[in-house]
Amino acid sequence: MGDQPNLFREGPTRFASQLLSTLPPDFVVRHQLATKSPQHILLTTAVITTFILWLAQYFWAKLFSNDRVELHYGPRSVGIRRGRRPSTSDGAQIPGESRVERISLLNLVRTSCPTLYSSQNRTNVFKPIWFLFNGHLQTCYASLYADYAGNKVAYTRELIYFADGGNVALDSHDATLTEQQKSDPETPIVVVLHGLTGGSHESYVQDVVHEVGGRGYRSVVCNFRGCADTELTSAQLYCGAYTDDARLAVEHIRRKYPRAPLFAVGFSLGANVLTKLVGELGDKCPFLGAVSVSNPFDLLGSSRALHRTWLGRNLYSKALTQNLIRVFKKHSSKLSGTDIFDAGKLLKARYLYEFDNLLTRVMFKYRTVHEYYRKASSAQYIPDIRVPFLVLTALDDPISPPEVLPYFEVYENPHCIMATTKRGGHIGWFEGWFRTSRWHQRPIGEFIGAIVEVGCEFCTRGVCGLNGL
């Protein structure tokens, strides 16, 4: 045994000498590698190699892996009665005959929304474009994308006025519809609510308008007061808790198109307003279905999460605050006539909660900004929703983090389904390889289209409706 070499001692020595011989002499001298012990060189090499392999695996997963859409729902799912015409052996429908059957909302999504569910996990994936591999990049790129995306749709604007003298602009789009669809009183209508300081010009709004227009549906974008190049005609703006304008706008649309099936889609702040409105209306909600996209849900929780990090405070919060200040400046002549707030302090607001404390909560008569955040949070209204309701959100959304998502509320309400992706940011979801496009409009179109197909064909014949299973 004493004549055999000690492999434990000679192995590292041999490895270290071979490694040093492959390195440039200047590098070895500069870092004094020749003076290091073989065990030290071996350990350092192992650590560096492990880190490089982990880094390569991390970026491979970020750049080339797919994110499977996860559906969250409760043990009960609302049933939808739908009409089905019997067909012959070759698939042709038998005219004049129909039967009514019931399908749960969950099964409807599973069978009619391939972007949200696939038994083989092939189509229900979101694959972000390679250079936008996390939520911050997706969110930041969304603001840049709006500058060169261009206008995809042409709108017809209608201004409606309220009792307090205020107004909102309703931007309608039906240019892609056929003449028959335009004249059909039962052509479905999708009402869209935009995000904070946004409007019908936003690229994420136009993507949805273009998607549903291709399916033969009319779109009506409800722009909040003072947004989308509208003149403010009252001493009041809008906020996440105020649903009266949206409700009155929907009533106006219903009077104008009394037989048209109505749907709704909301984004960010507009998603919070929509969710709150649908919950407030309960059984009297006029929508056959609604979709909430990138909703903050818990305004106090999302505000605390946003300001907890350096990036949240100094990038997102400051950017959102400056957007609000620009809206205020644009309409300052109308708003400066009141003494309920200090315009000088307001223009110096740095963070979102400072702006809301100085203006929003005062304008809408909340005692504190936290009271406004608590009462405006739409998650508390989800238990009262009584129409098919889809929640679409990304788990890396810096504005609406996972800790504020209404998992339990969705679980307990059979009308609700929540779809999450691992990545996507805040109203981002950019995909592609070299040319970016968005993903979110496809599941929205599929969800609305599924309800239109099974629910609206027979609603005028009295056999369409919702019933709990």
Side-chain angles (χ1 to χ4, degrees), residues 16 57 96-97 114 128 147 173-174 181 183 213 259 264 266 268 277 294 326 331 351 371 430 435:
Q57 183 181 16
E97 296 186 23
D147 294 333
H173 173 73
D174 59 5
Q181 291 170 334
S183 60
R259 298 177 60 186
S268 192
L277 175 64
S294 297
R326 278 193 289 270
H331 305 292
Y351 302 114
E371 181 183 54
F430 291 100
R435 184 177 181 181

Side-chain angles (χ1 to χ4, degrees), residues 83-99 101:
R84 278 288 182 89
R85 291 190 179 92
S87 57
T88 61
S89 57
D90 59 357
Q93 290 185 339
I94 301 176
E97 296 186 23
S98 65
R99 64 174 181 267
E101 63 182 25

Side-chain angles (χ1 to χ4, degrees), residues 50-168:
T50 302
F51 176 75
I52 292 175
L53 291 175
W54 175 85
L55 198 64
Q57 183 181 16
Y58 173 81
F59 279 104
W60 178 268
K62 287 291 186 182
L63 298 178
F64 301 108
S65 65
N66 296 331
D67 290 345
R68 185 165 61 92
V69 179
E70 296 287 346
L71 294 181
H72 307 268
Y73 47 86
R76 298 179 301 120
S77 183
V78 69
I80 299 177
R81 289 185 298 174
R82 65 177 180 181
R84 278 288 182 89
R85 291 190 179 92
S87 57
T88 61
S89 57
D90 59 357
Q93 290 185 339
I94 301 176
E97 296 186 23
S98 65
R99 64 174 181 267
V100 178
E101 63 182 25
R102 180 177 294 182
I103 183 173
S104 70
L105 176 63
L106 178 60
N107 286 335
L108 178 64
V109 169
R110 285 176 169 174
T111 56
S112 304
C113 303
T115 306
L116 295 175
Y117 179 82
S118 170
S119 59
Q120 303 297 325
N121 292 327
R122 292 178 180 175
T123 58
N124 61 328
V125 294
F126 164 66
K127 186 173 184 178
I129 193 167
W130 61 272
F131 60 88
L132 303 176
F133 51 81
N134 64 35
H136 296 301
L137 294 175
Q138 287 271 343
T139 304
C140 294
Y141 185 77
S143 62
L144 302 175
Y145 180 77
D147 294 333
Y148 69 85
N151 293 325
K152 297 181 179 179
V153 297
Y155 295 107
T156 301
R157 172 158 291 188
E158 177 186 12
L159 295 177
I160 61 173
Y161 290 84
F162 307 122
D164 67 346
N167 75 85
V168 297

Side-chain angles (χ1 to χ4, degrees), residues 37 58 76 96 126 157 167 207 227 233 238 336 359 398:
S37 66
Y58 173 81
R76 298 179 301 120
F126 164 66
R157 172 158 291 188
N167 75 85
D207 286 336
C227 292
T233 57
Y238 57 93
S336 59
L359 179 65

Side-chain angles (χ1 to χ4, degrees), residues 444-465:
I444 292 173
E446 290 173 358
F447 181 76
I448 295 175
I451 300 175
V452 169
E453 180 181 354
V454 303
C456 297
E457 180 182 359
F458 291 88
C459 63
T460 58
R461 299 183 178 91
V463 293
C464 171

Side-chain angles (χ1 to χ4, degrees), residues 160-163 225 242-253 255 277:
I160 61 173
Y161 290 84
F162 307 122
R225 298 192 189 199
Y242 192 71
T243 58
D244 285 3
D245 285 358
R247 177 177 54 81
L248 292 173
V250 172
E251 291 177 359
H252 173 82
I253 296 170
R255 289 193 298 269
L277 175 64

Side-chain angles (χ1 to χ4, degrees), residues 193 243 266 268-281 290-293 295 297 377-385 389-391 406 416:
L193 300 180
T243 58
S268 192
L269 184 78
N272 188 81
V273 172
L274 174 64
T275 304
K276 186 172 181 287
L277 175 64
V278 174
E280 288 173 344
L281 294 175
V291 185
S292 168
V293 185
N295 190 340
F297 286 111
S377 299
S378 61
Q380 61 192 317
Y381 294 89
I382 292 179
D384 299 319
I385 291 176
F389 194 81
L390 173 66
V391 174
C416 299

